[in-house]
C-alpha cells in the first residue's frame, strides 16, 4: 500500500507521555472497535493512529491495517511498539491509497484535522471500496468547554493575544451534513458527554494544557508559562475539580457511515 506523504502535524507530541498519562484516549476507543466490527481479511485504515494502540487491536482481529498519522513522533513510537504493522506519516486532508480499503477507523483524531474537514471526508471516501465503512469518534460541539474557557480567560488576564484553539468540534447536524454531502449514508450518530478522570495528571487542567495545547505555550513568554497555567487551574477548578481528582469535560461525537 502506498501513500502520498504530505504535511506533517504542526503539533509537537510527547508520544511517550501521551501513552503514560493520557492512556484513556486509546482505552476509550475499544468500544469503537466493536462498532467497526473488523472481519478477518479486511483491509482497514486507522486514520490518526497515534502510537498505534488501537491499530494493534484491530490487527489482532485478523485484519490488514495501515496506521496513518501526521506526527512523526507518534509514528516512531507506533513502529517501535508494533513491529509487524504498517504505519505512515501523512495528512488526513491530503492522502491517497493506491489500493482502497474496506473500512476507515478514527478515534480522537478528526478534531485535530482543522484545516479542511470536507477534504478529510473526501479523502476517506476515496480510500474506501463502495459500501466501505467510516467509523469514528471525535470531540463534539462543546467539547472541553470548561477547560478552554479557563484557558481563554487566563490568556486574557495575562494580556496575551487570544490563542487560536487548534481543534474542530462540530455539532452532530453539521458533521452529518458534511458526510451526506460527500456521499456517505449515516447509519449511526451519537452525541454524548464523557466526563473523563485525569487520573495520571496531578497538575490537573495545567497538565492537560501542556499535553494537548503545548503549541499555544510557545507564544507565551517563558517566565509567564507557570503562573499562567496555575491561573488556568484556579479558573477550571470549580467546574472540573472533584474530591476524587480532576475530571475533563469531554463531549463525544461518534458515527458509523457507509460509502453510498
Ligand atoms: C479530545 O479528545 O476531545 C481532545 C483532546 C485534546 C484536545 C482537544 C480535544
Amino acid at each position: 500500500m502506498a501513500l502520498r506523504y504530505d504535511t506533517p502535524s504542526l503539533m509537537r507530541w510527547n508520544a511517550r507521555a501521551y501513552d503514560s498519562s493520557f492512556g484513556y484516549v486509546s482505552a476509550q476507543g475499544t468500544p469503537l472497535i466493536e462498532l467497526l466490527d473488523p472481519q478477518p481479511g479486511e483491509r482497514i485504515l486507522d486514520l490518526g493512529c497515534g502510537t498505534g494502540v488501537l491499530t494493534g487491536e484491530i490487527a489482532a482481529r485478523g485484519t490488514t491495517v495501515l496506521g496513518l498519522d501526521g506526527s512523526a513522533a507518534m509514528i516512531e513510537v507506533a513502529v517501535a511498539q508494533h513491529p509487524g504493522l504498517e504505519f505512515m506519516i501523512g495528512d488526513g486532508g491530503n492522502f491517497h491509497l493506491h489500493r482502497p480499503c474496506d473500512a476507515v477507523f478514527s478515534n480522537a483524531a478528526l478534531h485535530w484535522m482543522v484545516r479542511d474537514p470536507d477534504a478529510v471526508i473526501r479523502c476517506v471516501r476515496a480510500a474506501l471500496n463502495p459500501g466501505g465503512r467510516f467509523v469514528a469518534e471525535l470531540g463534539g460541539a462543546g467539547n472541553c468547554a470548561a477547560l478552554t474557557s479557563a484557558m481563554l480567560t487566563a490568556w486574557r488576564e495575562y494580556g496575551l493575544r487570544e490563542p487560536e484553539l487548534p481543534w474542530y468540534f462540530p455539532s452532530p447536524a453539521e458533521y452529518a451534513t458534511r458526510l451526506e454531502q460527500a456521499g456517505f449514508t449515516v447509519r449511526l450518530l451519537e452525541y454524548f458527554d464523557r466526563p473523563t478522570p485525569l487520573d495520571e495528571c496531578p497538575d490537573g487542567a495545567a497538565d492537560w494544557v501542556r499535553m494537548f495545547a503545548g503549541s499555544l505555550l510557545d507564544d507565551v513568554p517563558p517566565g509567564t508559562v507557570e503562573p499562567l497555567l496555575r491561573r488556568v487551574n484556579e479558573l477550571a477548578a470549580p467546574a472540573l475539580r472533584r474530591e476524587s481528582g480532576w475530571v475533563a469535560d469531554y463531549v463525544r461525537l461518534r458515527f458509523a457511515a457507509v460509502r453510498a
Side-chain angles (χ1 to χ4, degrees), residues 13 25 108 111-112 138-139 143-144 167 169 208 212 250-252:
W13 285 102
V25 178
H111 49 242
W112 291 102
L138 69 155
N143 190 36
C144 301
W167 313 299
F169 300 138
W208 187 91
F212 293 117
Y250 281 12
V251 177
R252 301 284 94 178

Side-chain angles (χ1 to χ4, degrees), residues 110-114 117 138-140 165-170 174-175 178:
L110 295 172
H111 49 242
W112 291 102
M113 303 175 198
V114 291
L138 69 155
L165 301 177
W167 313 299
Y168 166 61
F169 300 138
E174 176 187 337
Y175 210 77
R178 288 187 193 278

